[in-house]
Amino acid sequence: MENKGTKAKLYRYIGDLRECLHIDSTVRGFSIPEICRERLNVLVTEIPFKTPGLRGMAYPETKETQDTIILNAHRSKHEQNFDCAHEYIHLLRHRTNRSQSFSCYEKVRPNQNPFFEWEANEGAAELIMPFQVIIPDFVEYYHRKETELGKEKAEKASIAMLAGKYHVTPKMIEFRLNNLKYELAFYCAGCDIDKIEPLSKRQQIQHNINMDRFDFSVLINNAFREPEEFDFDYYFEVY
């Protein structure tokens, strides 16, 4: 599997991981804590943390102990599912770091490695919600719901539906989709989802791309236009 690098490389690494775990690319809504316990020999346990904002901890194996993930018992099962994936990415990607453990909070703290935390968050999101799967799901749901409910309610209804399908919270779905607007634009322009090269927010800024100015309705409605009506250059003007 590939080492550290860009968003595209990280996603390919996660794709290889899913294959190693025998998780088909179309499978949605699986339990990461179960997979860790039953297939990966990772001890996963829960403790009611008292430290504010602490979501999970990971301890790489030693001669005496196996890989261990500790989750916050105060958080819901859907929250724990993502938290466990986050910690497992740390164990996979960052165990060669000199740190003996990883403590992960709601917000990155000064003593944490921002790149490691980005990889753990982005890797966990791609593991549970692969972009090649969640983007088509969202486009289909949103377009249908916008026809039924109107623009204002379509986004909320679609996010709620996806949250149940992927076993995460609506907030996680919303965050994930906002981070995939670049890839969503390509998909809605008619590009093959498997040929889209993902770009991180930092890479987008380097290329003078600002997807934050577009709402989902604008992007998704382009998927249902005739190809000659779609002005793709409009997305990538310098801002």
Side-chain angles (χ1 to χ4, degrees):
M1 290 191 277
E2 292 188 58
N3 291 323
K4 302 177 183 120
T6 63
K7 180 178 177 179
K9 287 183 178 179
L10 177 62
Y11 280 16
R12 286 193 284 272
Y13 177 95
I14 297 299
D16 290 343
L17 173 61
R18 286 176 68 101
E19 285 189 18
C20 290
L21 295 175
H22 304 291
I23 301 173
D24 185 85
S25 61
T26 60
V27 172
R28 305 163 178 84
F30 47 88
S31 169
I32 300 297
E34 269 184 31
I35 289 173
C36 284
R37 292 183 183 111
E38 297 173 7
R39 303 189 204 175
L40 301 170
N41 193 36
V42 177
L43 175 63
V44 180
T45 187
E46 301 173 20
I47 292 177
F49 294 147
K50 294 181 180 179
T51 304
L54 181 59
R55 294 182 170 182
M57 302 176 74
Y59 295 86
E61 66 180 354
T62 66
K63 291 181 180 180
E64 294 79 26
T65 63
Q66 66 195 97
D67 281 342
T68 300
I69 293 174
I70 304 175
L71 302 174
N72 188 345
H74 293 307
R75 286 170 64 77
S76 71
K77 293 301 179 185
H78 281 187
E79 289 171 325
Q80 288 181 358
N81 197 36
F82 185 89
D83 296 343
C84 189
H86 176 107
E87 301 304 333
Y88 183 59
I89 300 300
H90 275 314
L91 291 175
L92 280 179
R93 303 280 286 182
H94 310 137
R95 69 170 64 242
T96 56
N97 179 43
R98 294 181 180 179
S99 174
Q100 295 181 341
S101 65
F102 301 93
S103 299
C104 300
Y105 298 83
E106 184 176 351
K107 295 182 180 179
V108 178
R109 297 197 170 187
N111 63 332
Q112 292 179 290
N113 184 312
F115 180 73
F116 285 1
E117 292 308 308
W118 173 81
E119 277 206 326
N121 276 327
E122 200 69 36
E126 179 65 9
L127 178 60
I128 297 173
M129 303 166 275
F131 85 96
Q132 293 106 326
V133 182
I134 197 170
I135 286 176
D137 277 353
F138 181 57
V139 170
E140 178 189 347
Y141 292 156
Y142 186 98
H143 184 66
R144 188 168 70 239
K145 290 299 179 183
E146 188 174 36
T147 302
E148 294 174 4
L149 305 173
K151 176 181 173 180
E152 291 185 3
K153 295 182 180 179
E155 183 177 329
K156 186 175 181 179
S158 299
I159 287 173
M161 188 179 298
L162 289 172
K165 200 176 188 82
Y166 286 86
H167 291 187
V168 291
T169 66
K171 186 176 180 180
M172 291 172 186
I173 293 288
E174 183 178 5
F175 189 80
R176 176 67 169 153
L177 292 172
N178 276 309
N179 276 346
L180 290 175
K181 279 187 176 180
Y182 172 83
E183 295 79 11
L184 179 64
F186 269 91
Y187 177 74
C188 291
C191 296
D192 184 337
I193 192 74
D194 293 320
K195 294 181 180 179
I196 295 172
E197 186 83 352
L199 284 187
S200 68
K201 290 280 188 179
R202 179 173 293 182
Q203 290 173 302
Q204 290 173 40
I205 291 171
Q206 290 171 349
H207 287 81
N208 294 322
I209 297 169
N210 178 16
M211 299 307 299
D212 291 336
R213 59 202 175 98
F214 298 105
D215 62 32
F216 291 123
S217 179
V218 170
L219 296 174
I220 291 173
N221 285 333
N222 280 322
F224 299 92
R225 293 179 180 177
E226 293 299 320
E228 60 270 17
E229 296 178 356
F230 189 87
D231 182 10
F232 197 74
D233 291 337
Y234 174 63
Y235 288 111
F236 303 108
E237 64 184 12
V238 175
Y239 65 94

